[in-house]
Amino acid sequence: MIKPKLAALASVTLMGGAEAQADAHNQPLSERPAIVFFLSVINPEEPEAYERYSAGSAELLRAAGAVTVGRFGVTGALRGDCKGSFFGYAEVENAETLEAVFTSEAYQALLPDRAKAFTSLELYFGTSNAVGANALTPSAGATVLLTLGAGSANRDDRAFPEAKILASFGVTQHIAGVCAVDVFEVLEQDAGASQTAQGLGGSDSILVLKN
């Protein structure tokens, strides 16, 4: 058995503060960093495969200049079919660099271990919608929610209209898994506030993240 910890990418070093991240997301869409997201459940029966994949993929991303911006454990699900025990994302300078990492021979060599290491793994490429600062610093005691949905991030049917948006992203490519979504939002909700979703389509998923 392995100790619960963040799957693939989690060992990429967190660099840069909130100010640096906010500056990055004030850039025009075409100039913003590319982002890779993961939502995963580690397979406890394959610790060696997990260690090899985690170390190998993290090293490739680190060499490409990746910066881990957000990473959370998942404590529950409020709605939908998307599942995971860990959620996180990292930034790379541009989409070309990100594409090069995941199409490289070195990454392709990790795929057999990736298949064994997780019972569920979703990987996405995307970019910031510049709604939030994206350097995730939730308030102490607040509930942190992850919504995964389809359509525009600036729609009027938000699940929790009173919640603060910490980060919002558009998905440009779904590279692994079965949970197809267009938009991620990380929300902060006051402790004790209702967790009954008021909007979003029936196919959307809502997960509770560990703060």
Side-chain angles (χ1 to χ4, degrees), residues 146-160:
L146 172 67
T147 65
L148 307 90
S152 169
N154 296 313
R155 54 196 173 176
D156 294 328
D157 62 337
R158 295 187 182 280
F160 303 94

Side-chain angles (χ1 to χ4, degrees), residues 28-126:
L29 184 62
S30 62
E31 298 177 9
R32 291 178 203 152
I35 301 171
V36 58
F37 312 88
F38 71 89
L39 182 64
S40 67
V41 180
I42 299 170
N43 182 359
E45 303 302 321
E46 292 286 350
E48 293 85 2
Y50 168 76
E51 292 295 345
R52 288 191 298 267
Y53 177 76
S54 181
S57 59
E59 178 57 33
L60 291 173
L61 285 161
R62 188 181 299 111
V67 177
T68 299
V69 183
R71 48 191 188 184
F72 294 89
V74 178
T75 61
L78 300 182
R79 189 172 73 188
D81 297 326
C82 296
K83 60 182 179 180
S85 298
F86 299 102
F87 167 72
Y89 64 95
E91 292 183 346
V92 178
E93 183 177 5
N94 54 56
E96 291 76 14
T97 299
L98 187 59
E99 186 77 18
V101 169
F102 283 85
T103 57
S104 68
E105 290 185 6
Y107 186 80
Q108 297 305 305
L110 295 172
L111 293 182
D113 281 331
R114 189 182 83 178
K116 297 177 182 178
F118 306 98
T119 59
S120 175
L121 176 65
E122 307 288 341
L123 283 173
Y124 309 87
F125 294 166

Side-chain angles (χ1 to χ4, degrees), residues 79-80 148-151 155 157-159 197-206:
R79 189 172 73 188
L148 307 90
R155 54 196 173 176
D157 62 337
R158 295 187 182 280
Q198 299 179 30
L200 299 176
S203 62
D204 293 303
S205 294
I206 303 170

